[in-house]
Amino acid sequence: MVTNVIFAKEKSTFYSMTYDYAHLICFSPTHSSHMIGETVLQGLGTGHVSETDLTYEKPEENLTIHSGITVIVVPVYGGRIAETALERMEGIYGQDSPAVAVVVYGNRDYDDALLELRDWCVAHGFVPVAGAAFIGEHSYSSPARPIAGGRPDNPDLQKARAFGEQVGRLLNRFQTLDEVAPIVVKGNFPYKVKGPKTPQTPETVAELCTQCGFCIGICPVQAIRLEEEIVSDAGRCIKCCACVEQCPNEARLFETPYTDLLFKNFSTRREPEIFL
């Protein structure tokens, strides 16, 4: 569900804008990005928080955030911001609004995604004052071949909260937004060109599936339907694997050669990176 809240108030000091209001914008099919965003906001300790969750739909109208601090959290697919997230963020703008840019990736690399998000913030009228890359369980992870399995875990969330606290201390140093320069983050421009998508889509284990329809409801792009059995539309599926992770009967599987490659080469634990 998309919740659009516009904060409109006369221009005030940066300190007042920061701690009176906060806004969370996220795209989070498997809840990892949302979890990180909420924890960063807890660290910020902001009094009033509103949320625009883009996971299942795009806002019906453009949204302009006039004050407060905005935490924007999106997943990384193939070293770039998830395309569906970008599409649904298209009509969101900031005006005199500092932003925290956060990407969540599956332990391989976030490549140019954080730079891309920072640049999106600038292009849409936000001032990105801080950025971070956190780790979430990879979409292709499986119990037999875990890739950042169970993440974000407690140490990740502790670091997310500490990051929010650091951002709060940073903002205390400024009185107006004009004093803040956009952050410098890792990444390259032109951004990385994504490779071809894996042709596989999640499949249904017929003997385990009760056709409850849960996976249909949680698919962020309406790629799953019930025919004689539950099937995925390869043209729509974004391989987020929310249906695999959240099926109450463990009746959805995703098998791809990339899982073996990722498990072999990217199982060593990576830690969050922050930019202030």
Side-chain angles (χ1 to χ4, degrees):
M1 184 177 85
V2 176
T3 304
N4 293 334
V5 178
I6 301 177
F7 296 135
K9 58 188 267 188
E10 294 185 4
K11 190 172 182 178
S12 59
T13 66
F14 189 41
Y15 179 91
S16 176
M17 288 195 298
T18 299
Y19 287 96
D20 285 347
Y21 301 106
H23 196 89
L24 174 63
I25 297 171
C26 69
F27 175 77
S28 188
T30 60
H31 308 306
S32 296
S33 296
H34 189 271
M35 190 184 306
I36 291 293
E38 280 194 325
T39 308
V40 171
L41 285 169
Q42 290 171 11
L44 273 166
T46 310
H48 181 77
V49 178
S50 63
E51 180 178 318
T52 298
D53 187 342
L54 305 171
T55 304
Y56 299 108
E57 57 184 333
K58 181 179 181 179
E60 294 182 1
E61 299 178 351
N62 288 353
L63 167 67
T64 299
I65 299 170
H66 295 281
S67 63
I69 186 161
T70 303
V71 177
I72 305 168
V73 193
V74 293
V76 178
Y77 293 171
R80 299 280 301 278
I81 298 174
E83 292 176 4
T84 306
L86 277 178
E87 291 168 3
R88 294 179 183 175
M89 291 160 60
E90 191 175 72
I92 298 175
Y93 298 90
Q95 183 177 335
D96 293 328
S97 181
V100 179
V102 181
V103 297
V104 179
Y105 71 104
N107 206 62
R108 183 194 65 81
D109 205 330
Y110 57 94
D111 294 304
D112 302 330
L114 186 55
L115 177 64
E116 186 179 14
L117 183 56
R118 187 209 66 175
D119 293 347
W120 179 92
C121 288
V122 173
H124 283 247
F126 293 95
V127 178
V129 298
F134 282 86
I135 296 87
E137 183 168 348
H138 198 286
S139 296
Y140 295 2
S141 178
S142 69
R145 292 160 294 177
I147 309 157
R151 298 185 71 181
D153 54 19
N154 285 334
D156 291 318
L157 296 179
Q158 290 171 8
K159 290 180 180 179
R161 186 181 182 93
F163 171 58
E165 293 170 352
Q166 286 180 283
V167 174
R169 289 194 294 269
L170 171 71
L171 298 181
N172 274 331
R173 294 165 43 194
F174 302 103
Q175 291 299 312
T176 67
L177 192 57
D178 294 336
E179 299 176 47
V180 186
I183 50 166
V184 176
V185 300
K186 286 165 56 174
N188 297 293
F189 185 84
Y191 309 130
K192 176 183 178 181
V193 176
K194 287 187 178 181
K197 293 182 179 180
T198 176
Q200 291 86 4
T201 59
E203 298 179 347
T204 302
V205 182
E207 56 268 28
L208 296 178
C209 179
T210 63
Q211 298 187 352
C212 66
F214 184 79
C215 57
I216 296 174
I218 64 168
C219 178
V221 290
Q222 297 80 51
I224 305 174
R225 64 184 183 276
L226 175 61
E227 295 181 349
E228 291 184 1
E229 62 180 27
I230 296 288
V231 296
S232 294
D233 183 332
R236 285 177 172 266
C237 180
I238 60 174
K239 280 74 171 180
C240 69
C241 292
C243 60
V244 177
E245 290 191 19
Q246 299 175 50
C247 174
N249 301 301
E250 300 182 351
R252 295 281 283 174
L253 294 176
F254 186 53
E255 291 293 335
T256 167
Y258 291 112
T259 301
D260 286 331
L261 177 67
L262 290 164
F263 176 68
K264 179 180 179 181
N265 296 304
F266 302 104
S267 291
T268 301
R269 183 183 179 93
R270 295 192 65 172
E271 295 298 332
E273 297 180 36
I274 64 171
F275 302 86
L276 296 165

